[in-house]
Amino acid sequence: MDSGPVSPNCVVCSTSFRYKGPQPHLLPCLHPVCEDCLESVVLTTLLCSICMESHDRNGRNFPVDEVVLEEVFRETAKHLPSSFVCGNKQDGNEAECWCEECGIFFCRRCEKSHGEIKATRNHKMQWTFDLSSTGTGLQTKCEEHGQPLDIYDIDCDCFICPQCFYDEHTDHNTQTADRFLTDEKENLSDYMKSISDKTERIAVAHSNVDRQEEVIEQKATSLREVMKFTFSDLRSMLDQREKQMLAELDHLLDSMRIINDSRRPVLKSSETICQSLLDYIKKTLLYASPTHLHKLKSSITQACESCIGDEVPTVHRLESSVVFSKQRLHELMLLVSSFGTFLTPVEADQADEITSLESVREMTLKSTITKLQTQQKDAEEEIESLRGSIQTLQEEVDRLRKTIVSLDNKVLNGHTYLHVLERDQDCAITAIECPVMMFDPERVNRRAVHIHKQMLINRRHWPNKSHGIQADPKRPALKNYCGTCCTSPLPSSGLVYWEVEADVELDKPLGDGILLLEVGVCAEDVMDSSAYITGQPSSSSLLIGVSDNSNTIALCLTVDGHSFVSKDDVVDNDTGTHTRLQYGVLLDMDEMKICYLDIIQREVLGCGHLRVMGSAPELWPMFGVYHGPRSVAMKIVGGQEIKMEDWKKELLQGASSP
């Protein structure tokens, strides 16, 4: 009986992949993981249950596993063909055949109609039960033009359709998809041969390991017996030496006790004499008259001087300082630790192949000693550090407990991430919001820039394709500003931080006044006043362009139309320059203080204060790229994509301080 499809499983959650279910993605170890695991908010590290490798989910691209998709499709076609439904009229009828050229399943009735149409009567059809051995064979089509991706662009490393080739890739190195497939099959065949050779070597190694295990077991019993009797003799000698040392110790301690006990009677007698004299002198002072005292003076003086002159038995400080001498113990321990040498088994025909393991043992011993000494030193330093940090950690715990209240219960969803900074002066805790930001595709100035794969790119080498795009009347597209804004304004209070990355490429030196890019914030009423927000009221920006009469590319920070920081030569103004820029923007919405950071140089470029008109203004992040360079591609880094390292926290802490 058919037991149903044997579909591959997700290596993280063990869920079986199903047709039309969550798509499988490929881990770097070439094992599949389901889409649910990749989108899980709980998992940050993906652990492969097959090879036990862990993969960091953040900042990684896991492509769709087309091979597993095809395998699931074939298993479904073989075991559950009823899962395929007719895609022609969407009436839910069970599909019986597949059109390779249309890429659609057909039921029997629609297949008949499909064959009667002149344009499709010659299409190649496959029965669903044949798909388990042949697959769909369908080549992916272009999302923009709907044509098969039959051309591979070597320069762009992607597949394109003929229309894409004539529109944008005519000057690129290309080859047919079939040629690409042939070359890649040859490469994969070479890999298969190399891996097969390694598999054979592994099989031979397995055989050698099994044979070696048999030899080890044969020698184990005899070697253990020899070692048992040898070390038994050593233990007997050590036990005998221990008994001798204990007897010697008892004799020494008894002598010390006798000497010490002999002092007690002398001390007791001296104590009695002293007490008697004290009592008699007290009575004499109480009862004796001057004449009586004169008669007794000589006797009392003689008795007192005799008592005072007697020596009190003394105990020398070092008298009991007896220690157990460990002289030559280290040599003995080394001798014992090096005692016993193993030699490889000797056979009649291998007499000249004896290999002593003494050198290996010595190196291992030295390595172990060094490792233990290092571990001991590290442990001592760690213990000392921990002792000094206990109080600090306790104070830290108390402060962090108060943090929950001090963050005024802000609702943080998947669109905002929170980072906590601590000020050393007053131990106050400061929270920085890092919202997830996106370029607004509706308000982008399509005559100047375009958005492609979350990148804002200038249009110098990109055709204008703005026709056919419906704009929201409430969110009109920008007409003057060479860029776009964020999809939403900044929050009305608190500290907000985001970053941008930009790749800049020059094909020739730029002239005076040519701009590269701009990052900043402004009120909505001035965002489209000109090609840039620099110089506008209620705005602040980081602008990079060529300085007038200097022929150098400089950086300028402005606030409310006034420049407060400038920096020359941030980019080489030479032909062929290709560089990456990374900047961060920190805005205190309560104090209206804005700071700019250079992420690559790890420094604060400068800070200024905004004067925004209105009682409750809304500030919008702005992003601009200009057509002077060959290409400028900008990306927003926000939310969990921001790597909040210690050095960055220190910069933000200093920038956010009053």
Side-chain angles (χ1 to χ4, degrees), residues 370-387:
T370 303
K371 182 178 180 181
L372 290 175
Q373 291 175 344
T374 303
Q375 290 178 350
Q376 181 183 6
K377 181 179 179 181
D378 294 341
E380 291 174 352
E381 294 176 354
E382 184 68 17
I383 291 173
E384 196 65 30
S385 176
L386 290 175
R387 287 175 178 171

Side-chain angles (χ1 to χ4, degrees), residues 79-99:
H79 299 280
L80 291 174
S82 60
S83 300
F84 302 136
V85 296
C86 178
N88 185 30
K89 296 183 178 181
Q90 304 294 333
D91 52 9
N93 290 337
E94 181 179 346
E96 295 188 6
C97 58
W98 162 271
C99 178

Side-chain angles (χ1 to χ4, degrees), residues 534-568:
T534 298
Q536 301 296 327
S538 302
S539 71
S540 177
S541 69
L542 181 155
L543 182 67
I544 297 180
V546 180
S547 300
D548 293 337
N549 303 322
S550 67
N551 199 33
T552 61
I553 299 178
L555 176 148
C556 180
L557 302 183
T558 66
V559 61
D560 293 328
H562 303 287
S563 173
F564 63 97
V565 171
S566 62
K567 184 178 181 181
D568 294 330

Side-chain angles (χ1 to χ4, degrees), residues 406-418:
S406 66
L407 296 182
D408 55 47
N409 300 321
K410 293 185 178 179
V411 178
L412 300 179
N413 51 27
H415 302 289
T416 303
Y417 291 82
L418 199 66

